[in-house]
Amino acid sequence: MSDPKPVVTRFAPSPTGSLHIGGARTALFNYLYAKHTGGKFLLRIEDTDRARSTDAAVKAIFDGLDWMGLKPDGEVTFQYAGMERHKGVVDQLLASGRAYRCYMSADELDAAREKARADGHALRSPWRDREPGEGSNLGPHVIRFAGPKDGETMIDDLVQGRVVFANKDLDDLVLLRTDGAPTYNLAVVADDHDMGVTHIIRGDDHLNNAARQALIYQALGWELPAFAHIPLIHGPDGAKLSKRHGAQAVGEFADMGYLPEALRNYLARLGWSHGDDELFSDEQAAAWFDIKDVNKGAARLDWDKLNSVNAHYIKAADDERLTGLVAEVFAARGSALAPARLERLGAAIPFLKERGKTLLELADQAGFLFLSRPIDIAEKPAGQLTPEAMDRMARLRIQLETADWAAPDLEAAIKSFAETEGVGLGKIGPPLRAALTGGLPSPDLGRTLDLLGREESLGRIDDALSRRA
Ligand code: GLU
């Protein structure tokens, strides 16, 4: 039976750096589960760590989610703005005896930790049993949660299954710091409750926090949300994803020429599956995605797979959009395309996209279109321009001059020229290609001539012919 309460998920990043693909996948799973259930997907920026939170990181999160196409429902919440509310929740816990002021000095804290370790349980403060009373203030103090000393806390995690924590191993965690600032575990519980979050889907590095948070929920008499702790993304070698595995930030994937829909598809499939389906639309992902199908084992980033998914979406992408995106790659490389060149690129895109795995590859493959004459011919292709090949190309040029300038006609003209000459295409193609592209990649010859246009093609052939001694 389905839960009658509408599903509310949230993505709760700390704005301390760029949006990583691990975070993007967490956001995606939250987004997809909300879509799957007809619920809401909320965004909360956890900016309580004032020293490490930056506006640039907030912007990077917004931009990253926007690029990924993961639009949150409703207003974005900023955790720091809820500080007074968080303190109010702590007052509630103090009033019910589920929190206490702790005046331990740093030395005392060390000693208490030592003792707790010797006694075989997590940290408790002696102040727990000597509550000085409402309103008393004996100087700097923190406020700690009075957790149960024995028994167990069970988390029925939707991905990890049942996870049991012995309460003696859960310390009396700090709720408010000496400066009155709420801690993560307190703020997260208060916010998730207030935002009506029903499903907390996040990285499994937070699994231990789930037990602490569950105890706070219980102490407040609040309904516990469902938890789903998803495995982190690992590198192809199985080690935790890090700089040495290459790109990590969503923006880097964009810069490497991946399409957002490809990254969505790839990341959704990373650690989650629907039968053998590798490629699916956003609608299918939303229809199929269920947390219970998320794997427990770590997911490994597989560049080949990502490239093949991206190639699929490049093929499927609208030509005009791709033209604009590839033009952006040229601009980012410092060679913005003037209108005439943009038009030439637009004509080439339907053919180039059949073979490119990334937008950068498409730009590389379009490079031959924009060379300035006389073009540089690399050493190896230049070797094709033997006197014999040059003479033949001069005769071919005469044939091409009268050909209809469209790929099939040009292809046919080359073929019939080869027949007339009594040679195979292998004697004609390589020198012609050298003259036309200088060795850069290009589609088949008829298409290459067509895309370059009559004037440019004949001009490049003439330039090559003029290299004859
Ligand atoms: N702000 C936490 C983080 O970025 C996530 C907290 C949560 O999802 O509960 O790791």
Side-chain angles (χ1 to χ4, degrees):
M1 263 201 8
S2 64
D3 191 339
K5 235 167 75 178
V7 164
V8 179
T9 66
R10 76 346 181 237
F11 177 49
S14 304
T16 54
S18 48
L19 177 65
H20 281 205
I21 52 158
R25 189 179 62 134
T26 301
L28 176 65
F29 282 14
N30 277 285
Y31 173 89
L32 287 176
Y33 192 61
K35 294 288 162 232
H36 178 70
T37 53
K40 280 197 167 64
F41 163 65
L42 306 180
L43 174 61
R44 181 174 70 235
I45 302 290
E46 303 213 315
D47 55 350
T48 45
D49 184 342
R50 303 311 283 167
R52 293 179 62 224
S53 299
T54 65
D55 290 344
V58 173
K59 186 175 179 313
I61 291 166
F62 287 165
D63 289 350
L65 290 177
D66 194 41
W67 183 81
M68 285 287 293
L70 305 177
K71 195 171 147 33
D73 297 306
E75 291 288 306
V76 178
T77 308
F78 288 83
Q79 191 160 58
Y80 184 61
M83 181 135 102
E84 289 313 312
R85 161 67 177 154
H86 303 146
K87 288 181 179 173
V89 172
V90 174
D91 286 340
Q92 220 172 305
L93 289 166
L94 280 170
S96 64
R98 297 307 311 271
Y100 59 94
R101 293 185 174 79
C102 165
Y103 297 86
M104 278 195 288
S105 65
D107 286 347
E108 287 168 334
L109 182 60
D110 285 345
R113 271 216 184 94
E114 199 66 26
K115 180 169 172 359
R117 200 171 304 134
D119 293 348
H121 57 73
L123 176 74
R124 318 272 167 219
S125 157
W127 287 95
R128 179 175 167 133
D129 304 315
R130 26 170 148 125
E131 171 61 44
E134 181 78 20
S136 60
N137 192 345
L138 307 178
H141 61 277
V142 297
I143 295 179
R144 289 186 185 276
F145 180 63
K149 291 181 181 166
D150 39 41
E152 288 176 337
T153 298
M154 238 148 34
I155 300 292
D156 280 314
D157 193 275
L158 297 174
V159 174
Q160 308 290 334
R162 174 164 291 188
V163 189
V164 181
F165 298 84
N167 290 336
K168 73 175 177 54
D169 296 335
L170 302 172
D171 64 354
D172 280 2
L173 60 102
V174 173
L175 301 173
L176 286 191
R177 297 199 178 87
T178 317
D179 62 0
T183 56
Y184 158 71
N185 277 305
L186 184 266
V188 91
V189 168
D191 288 350
D192 284 334
H193 170 74
D194 291 355
M195 289 162 73
V197 172
T198 60
H199 290 73
I200 294 181
I201 305 169
R202 62 185 172 193
D204 64 10
D205 49 336
H206 283 290
L207 184 59
N208 283 330
N209 285 326
R212 301 151 175 280
Q213 292 166 13
L215 289 174
I216 301 176
Y217 275 95
Q218 272 167 21
L220 288 160
W222 291 345
E223 192 182 335
L224 194 67
F227 288 103
H229 287 93
I230 60 178
L232 301 177
I233 301 179
H234 285 201
D237 57 358
K240 198 169 166 253
L241 198 62
S242 71
K243 269 274 166 265
R244 83 192 147 83
H245 294 115
Q248 289 192 82
V250 166
E252 290 175 276
F253 283 81
D255 291 344
M256 285 165 75
Y258 293 101
L259 294 177
E261 62 268 40
L263 204 57
R264 275 202 299 278
N265 187 146
Y266 177 72
L267 289 179
R269 183 67 186 75
L270 197 56
W272 167 79
S273 53
H274 178 267
D276 291 334
D277 293 299
E278 293 290 347
L279 298 166
F280 35 79
S281 65
D282 291 328
E283 290 71 27
Q284 285 170 318
W288 296 340
F289 184 83
D290 201 338
I291 302 175
K292 67 175 171 43
D293 301 322
V294 173
N295 300 331
K296 220 163 130 173
R300 287 190 192 199
L301 188 67
D302 177 341
W303 290 100
D304 289 340
K305 184 107 147 287
L306 173 59
N307 284 336
S308 82
V309 171
N310 204 49
H312 166 83
Y313 283 98
I314 282 181
K315 266 195 207 102
D318 172 71
D319 293 337
E320 206 172 314
R321 171 178 169 228
L322 269 189
T323 304
L325 291 172
V326 176
E328 280 173 25
V329 176
F330 277 98
R333 289 176 175 177
S335 43
L337 300 178
R341 292 189 155 198
L342 200 57
E343 203 173 308
R344 195 178 278 181
L345 176 65
I349 282 292
F351 308 99
L352 300 182
K353 76 177 187 180
E354 292 303 319
R355 293 185 306 173
K357 291 194 288 291
T358 67
L359 297 174
L360 302 195
E361 280 189 18
L362 291 194
D364 292 343
Q365 285 171 18
F368 79 95
L369 293 169
F370 308 121
L371 303 171
S372 27
R373 288 184 48 206
I375 68 168
D376 287 333
I377 301 179
E379 202 180 312
K380 200 160 162 231
Q384 297 288 341
L385 299 173
T386 60
E388 187 195 350
M390 291 281 216
D391 289 344
R392 194 174 290 122
M393 192 155 66
R395 295 195 293 277
L396 171 62
R397 189 198 183 289
I398 297 166
Q399 299 303 312
L400 289 178
E401 233 173 329
T402 54
D404 282 338
W405 213 266
D409 303 276
L410 291 161
E411 205 68 61
I414 295 170
K415 246 202 188 123
S416 86
F417 174 72
E419 274 160 24
T420 321
E421 294 270 316
V423 294
L425 282 173
K427 290 263 186 243
I428 297 171
L432 180 58
R433 211 178 266 281
L436 293 173
T437 74
L440 293 184
S442 70
D444 58 50
L445 281 168
R447 183 64 57 197
T448 297
L449 288 161
D450 187 356
L451 292 172
L452 282 171
R454 179 195 298 269
E455 195 187 321
E456 181 72 23
S457 298
L458 296 179
R460 289 188 189 186
I461 292 171
D462 289 340
D463 293 341
L465 293 175
S466 70
R467 292 160 66 113
R468 279 191 284 195

